[in-house]
Amino acid sequence: MSMRQDKVKVAVAMSGGVDSAVAALLLKKQGYEVHGFFMRNWNPLSNIPNDCPWQKDYEDVRRVCNHLTIPYSTLNFESEYHKRVLIPFLNEYQNGRTPNPDILCNKEIKFDVFWNNVKALGFHYMATGHYSKLENGALVKPKDADKDQTYFLSALSDRQLENVIFPLADLTKTEVREIAKKAGLPNAGKKDSQGICFIGKLTVRDFLKANLKIAPGEVKAATGELLGKHEGSELYTIGQRHIGVAAGGKTLYVSSKNTKTNTLIMDREENLYTNKLSFEKAAWSIPVPQSFQCQVQTRYRSKSIPAIVSLTNSMELVSGEAELLLPARAITPGQTIAFYKDSKLIGNAIIK
């Protein structure tokens, strides 16, 4: 860096969790001028039922920043979050698809709205507690393979990564916990958050029931046999078990959904695996040919699978098919597929 490190201002997106707290700690130790920011994304006065524990998270941010003797602020993005994350999330479910709101939140809020706001305040960089790594401007898998979060960041553009620091790139979760404990951080023992940020303790099912127009419909076997009824097809995702539905003593799972007839199609576990998928809305961080081999990841925490990717149009390169060299379970429309060359993220798309 051309300027003195103690003059480089870094805005740390702090969630109240131990990862972003340690990120702020490490940056301060490295001599940066660190400022913690808590993003207020959920409006508790909204008429959308929820159980988002943001007050407790904010209190943890306040305690950590006071412990580190760094300034902290709150930025309110309720309007942007509602428009750019929550509404698309609900619309996708209403249309029978299963989106990933964390990927959308990173692309639309944390690395867009948040960065534009702190940049306007004079900050040179932003940092988060993601387990991810940057090498020559490209996202690569971090040291902790089990906590790898590059999948959640796969929709970010090269421009969005230009002024980002990932302080936890070369640390494991165990090491992060130990650093937090030794530093006496007040949230050192806080459990990792689970589930979708704006739902809190509610189940996804209860949240969707409160916010979508749903209607009961038929549950059928892949053979066409009528098996029963469901509350609303939007409440189910591919690979999910339907309680009370079985055939021949075998447990059945949702294999597909027909949104036009509001029908769930059920099948046996062994029939949920496939070697092919189609995708759309692809974005690439490197030039790619019309056909190439790489590794793909079809959901968070799933293992990368070797695949042969074939793009439909040699000019646009935004849609195509992936032939999986190992079968994958419950490929789900609306989910993100991330493409890797070894440990380097090279693109993402939406599964059709």
Side-chain angles (χ1 to χ4, degrees):
M1 297 178 184
S2 58
M3 67 183 79
R4 283 173 48 193
Q5 193 140 300
D6 61 354
K7 298 296 184 182
V8 178
K9 299 176 67 176
V10 181
V12 182
M14 301 188 70
S15 64
V18 67
D19 295 329
S20 56
V22 170
L25 167 66
L26 294 175
L27 290 169
K28 183 183 179 183
K29 284 186 174 181
Q30 292 166 16
Y32 292 102
E33 185 178 330
V34 179
H35 191 121
F37 285 91
F38 179 77
M39 281 176 267
R40 178 79 176 274
N41 295 329
W42 183 261
N43 181 0
L45 300 179
S46 167
N47 60 1
I48 297 179
N50 74 95
D51 188 24
C52 181
W54 70 267
Q55 296 96 333
K56 176 63 170 64
D57 292 334
Y58 170 74
E59 179 61 18
D60 287 335
V61 169
R62 185 191 69 79
R63 291 164 63 217
V64 166
C65 290
N66 284 339
H67 182 83
L68 295 176
T69 63
I70 62 172
Y72 60 94
S73 305
T74 298
L75 293 175
N76 190 313
F77 301 139
E78 292 169 5
S79 176
E80 295 91 337
Y81 191 88
H82 186 273
K83 179 180 179 181
R84 297 169 65 170
V85 178
L86 180 59
I87 295 305
F89 170 83
L90 292 174
N91 286 342
E92 282 287 89
Y93 263 103
Q94 192 73 72
N95 292 324
R97 293 153 67 90
T98 305
N100 190 309
D102 293 314
I103 292 176
L104 197 58
C105 182
N106 284 326
K107 177 183 178 182
E108 298 292 336
I109 306 299
K110 290 181 183 176
F111 293 83
D112 188 276
V113 177
F114 172 70
W115 168 241
N116 287 331
N117 273 261
V118 296
K119 181 172 64 172
L121 293 173
F123 286 87
H124 304 101
Y125 293 91
M126 65 166 281
T128 71
H130 285 102
Y131 288 85
S132 180
K133 190 171 185 176
L134 280 169
E135 288 185 356
N136 299 318
L139 281 171
V140 297
K141 292 178 179 288
K143 177 181 177 179
D144 193 334
D146 186 55
K147 295 296 292 183
D148 171 27
Q149 292 176 307
T150 54
Y151 177 80
F152 285 139
L153 304 175
S154 60
L156 301 182
S157 67
D158 292 344
R159 178 188 57 80
Q160 288 178 299
L161 293 168
E162 286 177 353
N163 297 85
V164 174
I165 302 173
F166 294 119
L168 309 187
D170 296 311
L171 295 170
T172 65
K173 182 71 179 194
T174 300
E175 291 169 334
V176 166
R177 289 280 186 195
E178 188 61 28
I179 291 171
K181 184 178 179 181
K182 286 183 178 179
L185 294 183
N187 65 347
K190 187 175 181 178
K191 294 181 179 179
D192 291 345
S193 61
Q194 301 291 329
I196 300 172
C197 53
F198 52 78
I199 290 179
K201 296 178 183 178
L202 291 179
T203 65
V204 175
R205 181 184 182 86
D206 288 339
F207 184 82
L208 294 176
K209 285 175 70 173
N211 295 292
L212 295 181
K213 296 177 181 179
I214 62 173
E218 295 181 335
V219 179
K220 293 185 176 182
T223 59
E225 175 189 358
L226 181 63
L227 299 174
K229 299 285 186 178
H230 63 74
E231 287 186 80
S233 60
E234 298 86 356
L235 305 179
Y236 296 85
T237 189
I238 307 303
Q240 182 178 345
R241 180 182 176 186
H242 189 303
I243 303 298
V245 173
K250 290 272 190 176
T251 300
L252 298 181
Y253 302 85
V254 178
S255 62
S256 64
K257 298 194 291 184
N258 187 323
T259 55
K260 291 183 179 180
T261 62
N262 192 28
T263 304
L264 291 181
I265 308 301
M266 312 295 292
D267 213 333
R268 296 181 178 183
E269 169 72 20
E270 57 267 29
N271 294 329
L272 297 179
Y273 290 81
T274 183
N275 288 85
K276 285 189 177 182
L277 65 84
S278 298
F279 60 84
E280 61 184 351
K281 301 179 181 178
W284 308 100
S285 60
I286 64 170
V288 293
Q290 191 166 359
S291 180
F292 60 95
Q293 187 164 341
C294 64
Q295 297 84 40
V296 300
Q297 188 173 338
T298 58
R299 63 180 66 207
Y300 180 55
R301 289 198 178 280
S302 68
K303 293 183 178 180
S304 295
I305 299 172
I308 298 173
V309 175
S310 300
L311 297 166
T312 304
N313 187 307
S314 61
M315 296 295 292
E316 296 179 351
L317 304 177
V318 295
S319 62
E321 294 183 346
E323 179 184 347
L324 309 179
L325 303 186
L326 294 172
R329 183 185 185 277
I331 297 297
T332 305
Q335 286 283 293
T336 291
I337 176 173
F339 304 89
Y340 295 86
K341 276 285 190 180
D342 298 319
S343 64
K344 181 181 178 179
L345 179 77
I346 62 169
N348 81 99
I350 303 298
I351 297 172
K352 295 174 65 175

PDB file of all heavy atoms in Angstrom, residues 9 33 50 55 59 66 76 112 117 121 124 135 199 215 222 271 287 289 323 325:
ATOM      1  N   LYS A   9      -8.050   3.189   6.334  1.00  0.00           N
ATOM      2  CA  LYS A   9      -9.302   3.016   7.065  1.00  0.00           C
ATOM      3  C   LYS A   9     -10.062   1.794   6.548  1.00  0.00           C
ATOM      4  O   LYS A   9     -10.325   1.688   5.340  1.00  0.00           O
ATOM      5  CB  LYS A   9     -10.162   4.272   6.934  1.00  0.00           C
ATOM      6  CG  LYS A   9      -9.507   5.533   7.507  1.00  0.00           C
ATOM      7  CD  LYS A   9     -10.372   6.757   7.261  1.00  0.00           C
ATOM      8  CE  LYS A   9     -11.678   6.686   8.045  1.00  0.00           C
ATOM      9  NZ  LYS A   9     -12.475   7.939   7.862  1.00  0.00           N
ATOM     10  N   GLU A  33      -6.664   1.437  10.704  1.00  0.00           N
ATOM     11  CA  GLU A  33      -7.652   2.238  11.429  1.00  0.00           C
ATOM     12  C   GLU A  33      -9.007   1.556  11.229  1.00  0.00           C
ATOM     13  O   GLU A  33      -9.601   1.644  10.155  1.00  0.00           O
ATOM     14  CB  GLU A  33      -7.675   3.667  10.886  1.00  0.00           C
ATOM     15  CG  GLU A  33      -8.592   4.597  11.655  1.00  0.00           C
ATOM     16  CD  GLU A  33      -8.544   6.021  11.127  1.00  0.00           C
ATOM     17  OE1 GLU A  33      -7.483   6.438  10.607  1.00  0.00           O
ATOM     18  OE2 GLU A  33      -9.580   6.705  11.226  1.00  0.00           O
ATOM     19  N   ASN A  50     -41.746 -12.476  11.978  1.00  0.00           N
ATOM     20  CA  ASN A  50     -40.371 -12.950  12.010  1.00  0.00           C
ATOM     21  C   ASN A  50     -39.932 -13.052  13.454  1.00  0.00           C
ATOM     22  O   ASN A  50     -40.641 -12.665  14.371  1.00  0.00           O
ATOM     23  CB  ASN A  50     -39.458 -11.977  11.253  1.00  0.00           C
ATOM     24  CG  ASN A  50     -39.228 -10.704  12.044  1.00  0.00           C
ATOM     25  OD1 ASN A  50     -38.249 -10.577  12.754  1.00  0.00           O
ATOM     26  ND2 ASN A  50     -40.159  -9.751  11.943  1.00  0.00           N
ATOM     27  N   GLN A  55     -31.398  -7.303  18.024  1.00  0.00           N
ATOM     28  CA  GLN A  55     -31.012  -6.492  19.188  1.00  0.00           C
ATOM     29  C   GLN A  55     -29.864  -7.132  19.953  1.00  0.00           C
ATOM     30  O   GLN A  55     -28.924  -6.454  20.373  1.00  0.00           O
ATOM     31  CB  GLN A  55     -32.203  -6.278  20.125  1.00  0.00           C
ATOM     32  CG  GLN A  55     -33.355  -5.484  19.505  1.00  0.00           C
ATOM     33  CD  GLN A  55     -34.433  -6.371  18.933  1.00  0.00           C
ATOM     34  OE1 GLN A  55     -34.158  -7.515  18.535  1.00  0.00           O
ATOM     35  NE2 GLN A  55     -35.648  -5.875  18.900  1.00  0.00           N
ATOM     36  N   GLU A  59     -25.982  -5.706  20.443  1.00  0.00           N
ATOM     37  CA  GLU A  59     -25.365  -5.578  21.753  1.00  0.00           C
ATOM     38  C   GLU A  59     -24.003  -6.265  21.783  1.00  0.00           C
ATOM     39  O   GLU A  59     -23.043  -5.767  22.385  1.00  0.00           O
ATOM     40  CB  GLU A  59     -26.279  -6.167  22.828  1.00  0.00           C
ATOM     41  CG  GLU A  59     -25.725  -6.121  24.247  1.00  0.00           C
ATOM     42  CD  GLU A  59     -25.443  -4.723  24.752  1.00  0.00           C
ATOM     43  OE1 GLU A  59     -25.972  -3.739  24.182  1.00  0.00           O
ATOM     44  OE2 GLU A  59     -24.668  -4.581  25.718  1.00  0.00           O
ATOM     45  N   ASN A  66     -16.217  -2.003  22.111  1.00  0.00           N
ATOM     46  CA  ASN A  66     -15.740  -1.347  23.331  1.00  0.00           C
ATOM     47  C   ASN A  66     -14.516  -2.071  23.893  1.00  0.00           C
ATOM     48  O   ASN A  66     -13.566  -1.433  24.368  1.00  0.00           O
ATOM     49  CB  ASN A  66     -16.860  -1.304  24.374  1.00  0.00           C
ATOM     50  CG  ASN A  66     -17.895  -0.244  24.071  1.00  0.00           C
ATOM     51  OD1 ASN A  66     -17.627   0.713  23.336  1.00  0.00           O
ATOM     52  ND2 ASN A  66     -19.098  -0.399  24.602  1.00  0.00           N
ATOM     53  N   ASN A  76     -28.471   1.650   8.522  1.00  0.00           N
ATOM     54  CA  ASN A  76     -29.818   1.117   8.315  1.00  0.00           C
ATOM     55  C   ASN A  76     -30.073   0.868   6.830  1.00  0.00           C
ATOM     56  O   ASN A  76     -30.142   1.804   6.033  1.00  0.00           O
ATOM     57  CB  ASN A  76     -30.858   2.098   8.867  1.00  0.00           C
ATOM     58  CG  ASN A  76     -32.249   1.487   8.905  1.00  0.00           C
ATOM     59  OD1 ASN A  76     -32.692   0.892   7.945  1.00  0.00           O
ATOM     60  ND2 ASN A  76     -32.948   1.650  10.022  1.00  0.00           N
ATOM     61  N   ASP A 112     -22.301  -4.361  -1.783  1.00  0.00           N
ATOM     62  CA  ASP A 112     -22.794  -3.323  -2.688  1.00  0.00           C
ATOM     63  C   ASP A 112     -23.259  -2.112  -1.886  1.00  0.00           C
ATOM     64  O   ASP A 112     -22.549  -1.109  -1.799  1.00  0.00           O
ATOM     65  CB  ASP A 112     -23.933  -3.875  -3.558  1.00  0.00           C
ATOM     66  CG  ASP A 112     -24.348  -2.889  -4.634  1.00  0.00           C
ATOM     67  OD1 ASP A 112     -25.172  -1.990  -4.345  1.00  0.00           O
ATOM     68  OD2 ASP A 112     -23.855  -2.993  -5.763  1.00  0.00           O
ATOM     69  N   ASN A 117     -21.729   2.835   0.875  1.00  0.00           N
ATOM     70  CA  ASN A 117     -21.937   3.764   1.992  1.00  0.00           C
ATOM     71  C   ASN A 117     -20.642   4.067   2.731  1.00  0.00           C
ATOM     72  O   ASN A 117     -20.342   5.228   3.027  1.00  0.00           O
ATOM     73  CB  ASN A 117     -22.983   3.199   2.956  1.00  0.00           C
ATOM     74  CG  ASN A 117     -24.400   3.551   2.586  1.00  0.00           C
ATOM     75  OD1 ASN A 117     -24.993   4.473   3.133  1.00  0.00           O
ATOM     76  ND2 ASN A 117     -24.957   2.821   1.634  1.00  0.00           N
ATOM     77  N   LEU A 121     -17.966   7.446   3.115  1.00  0.00           N
ATOM     78  CA  LEU A 121     -17.523   7.978   4.411  1.00  0.00           C
ATOM     79  C   LEU A 121     -16.003   8.086   4.499  1.00  0.00           C
ATOM     80  O   LEU A 121     -15.463   8.496   5.531  1.00  0.00           O
ATOM     81  CB  LEU A 121     -18.045   7.084   5.542  1.00  0.00           C
ATOM     82  CG  LEU A 121     -19.563   7.066   5.753  1.00  0.00           C
ATOM     83  CD1 LEU A 121     -19.941   6.012   6.789  1.00  0.00           C
ATOM     84  CD2 LEU A 121     -20.064   8.437   6.167  1.00  0.00           C
ATOM     85  N   HIS A 124     -11.154   3.059   2.932  1.00  0.00           N
ATOM     86  CA  HIS A 124     -10.392   2.537   1.794  1.00  0.00           C
ATOM     87  C   HIS A 124     -10.721   1.081   1.497  1.00  0.00           C
ATOM     88  O   HIS A 124     -10.614   0.642   0.344  1.00  0.00           O
ATOM     89  CB  HIS A 124      -8.882   2.655   2.084  1.00  0.00           C
ATOM     90  CG  HIS A 124      -8.451   4.050   2.417  1.00  0.00           C
ATOM     91  ND1 HIS A 124      -8.215   4.475   3.711  1.00  0.00           N
ATOM     92  CD2 HIS A 124      -8.225   5.127   1.627  1.00  0.00           C
ATOM     93  CE1 HIS A 124      -7.858   5.747   3.705  1.00  0.00           C
ATOM     94  NE2 HIS A 124      -7.838   6.169   2.458  1.00  0.00           N
ATOM     95  N   GLU A 135      -6.715 -14.128  -4.005  1.00  0.00           N
ATOM     96  CA  GLU A 135      -5.394 -14.224  -4.620  1.00  0.00           C
ATOM     97  C   GLU A 135      -5.444 -13.566  -5.982  1.00  0.00           C
ATOM     98  O   GLU A 135      -6.194 -14.006  -6.861  1.00  0.00           O
ATOM     99  CB  GLU A 135      -4.958 -15.694  -4.747  1.00  0.00           C
ATOM    100  CG  GLU A 135      -4.603 -16.351  -3.426  1.00  0.00           C
ATOM    101  CD  GLU A 135      -4.070 -17.760  -3.597  1.00  0.00           C
ATOM    102  OE1 GLU A 135      -4.044 -18.248  -4.755  1.00  0.00           O
ATOM    103  OE2 GLU A 135      -3.688 -18.379  -2.593  1.00  0.00           O
ATOM    104  N   ILE A 199     -35.109 -14.822   9.561  1.00  0.00           N
ATOM    105  CA  ILE A 199     -36.136 -15.700  10.118  1.00  0.00           C
ATOM    106  C   ILE A 199     -35.927 -15.918  11.610  1.00  0.00           C
ATOM    107  O   ILE A 199     -36.859 -16.091  12.379  1.00  0.00           O
ATOM    108  CB  ILE A 199     -36.161 -17.048   9.365  1.00  0.00           C
ATOM    109  CG1 ILE A 199     -36.701 -16.820   7.943  1.00  0.00           C
ATOM    110  CG2 ILE A 199     -37.020 -18.069  10.080  1.00  0.00           C
ATOM    111  CD1 ILE A 199     -36.763 -18.059   7.101  1.00  0.00           C
ATOM    112  N   ALA A 215     -51.840 -22.945  -1.360  1.00  0.00           N
ATOM    113  CA  ALA A 215     -53.086 -23.693  -1.476  1.00  0.00           C
ATOM    114  C   ALA A 215     -52.770 -25.177  -1.412  1.00  0.00           C
ATOM    115  O   ALA A 215     -51.723 -25.614  -1.900  1.00  0.00           O
ATOM    116  CB  ALA A 215     -53.787 -23.359  -2.792  1.00  0.00           C
ATOM    117  N   ALA A 222     -43.991 -40.937  -8.518  1.00  0.00           N
ATOM    118  CA  ALA A 222     -43.449 -40.740  -9.860  1.00  0.00           C
ATOM    119  C   ALA A 222     -44.222 -41.550 -10.893  1.00  0.00           C
ATOM    120  O   ALA A 222     -44.243 -41.200 -12.082  1.00  0.00           O
ATOM    121  CB  ALA A 222     -41.973 -41.122  -9.883  1.00  0.00           C
ATOM    122  N   ASN A 271     -33.571 -42.593  -6.346  1.00  0.00           N
ATOM    123  CA  ASN A 271     -33.936 -41.926  -7.596  1.00  0.00           C
ATOM    124  C   ASN A 271     -33.772 -40.405  -7.545  1.00  0.00           C
ATOM    125  O   ASN A 271     -34.113 -39.712  -8.495  1.00  0.00           O
ATOM    126  CB  ASN A 271     -35.383 -42.273  -7.965  1.00  0.00           C
ATOM    127  CG  ASN A 271     -35.550 -43.743  -8.288  1.00  0.00           C
ATOM    128  OD1 ASN A 271     -34.620 -44.390  -8.784  1.00  0.00           O
ATOM    129  ND2 ASN A 271     -36.721 -44.296  -8.002  1.00  0.00           N
ATOM    130  N   PRO A 287     -12.149 -15.849 -18.666  1.00  0.00           N
ATOM    131  CA  PRO A 287     -12.684 -16.284 -19.953  1.00  0.00           C
ATOM    132  C   PRO A 287     -12.840 -17.809 -19.975  1.00  0.00           C
ATOM    133  O   PRO A 287     -11.947 -18.532 -19.526  1.00  0.00           O
ATOM    134  CB  PRO A 287     -11.615 -15.820 -20.957  1.00  0.00           C
ATOM    135  CG  PRO A 287     -10.864 -14.742 -20.244  1.00  0.00           C
ATOM    136  CD  PRO A 287     -10.871 -15.138 -18.797  1.00  0.00           C
ATOM    137  N   PRO A 289     -14.186 -21.307 -22.405  1.00  0.00           N
ATOM    138  CA  PRO A 289     -14.601 -21.785 -23.722  1.00  0.00           C
ATOM    139  C   PRO A 289     -16.036 -22.290 -23.664  1.00  0.00           C
ATOM    140  O   PRO A 289     -16.655 -22.339 -22.595  1.00  0.00           O
ATOM    141  CB  PRO A 289     -13.616 -22.921 -23.991  1.00  0.00           C
ATOM    142  CG  PRO A 289     -13.261 -23.429 -22.635  1.00  0.00           C
ATOM    143  CD  PRO A 289     -13.258 -22.226 -21.737  1.00  0.00           C
ATOM    144  N   GLU A 323     -22.524 -31.836 -16.988  1.00  0.00           N
ATOM    145  CA  GLU A 323     -22.550 -33.286 -16.848  1.00  0.00           C
ATOM    146  C   GLU A 323     -21.673 -33.645 -15.652  1.00  0.00           C
ATOM    147  O   GLU A 323     -20.453 -33.449 -15.678  1.00  0.00           O
ATOM    148  CB  GLU A 323     -22.017 -33.962 -18.114  1.00  0.00           C
ATOM    149  CG  GLU A 323     -22.002 -35.481 -18.018  1.00  0.00           C
ATOM    150  CD  GLU A 323     -21.380 -36.140 -19.231  1.00  0.00           C
ATOM    151  OE1 GLU A 323     -21.186 -35.450 -20.250  1.00  0.00           O
ATOM    152  OE2 GLU A 323     -21.077 -37.350 -19.145  1.00  0.00           O
ATOM    153  N   LEU A 325     -19.650 -35.864 -13.185  1.00  0.00           N
ATOM    154  CA  LEU A 325     -18.935 -37.132 -13.285  1.00  0.00           C
ATOM    155  C   LEU A 325     -19.177 -38.025 -12.077  1.00  0.00           C
ATOM    156  O   LEU A 325     -18.800 -39.192 -12.078  1.00  0.00           O
ATOM    157  CB  LEU A 325     -17.441 -36.863 -13.474  1.00  0.00           C
ATOM    158  CG  LEU A 325     -17.092 -35.998 -14.698  1.00  0.00           C
ATOM    159  CD1 LEU A 325     -15.587 -35.913 -14.882  1.00  0.00           C
ATOM    160  CD2 LEU A 325     -17.767 -36.525 -15.958  1.00  0.00           C
TER     161      LEU A 325
END
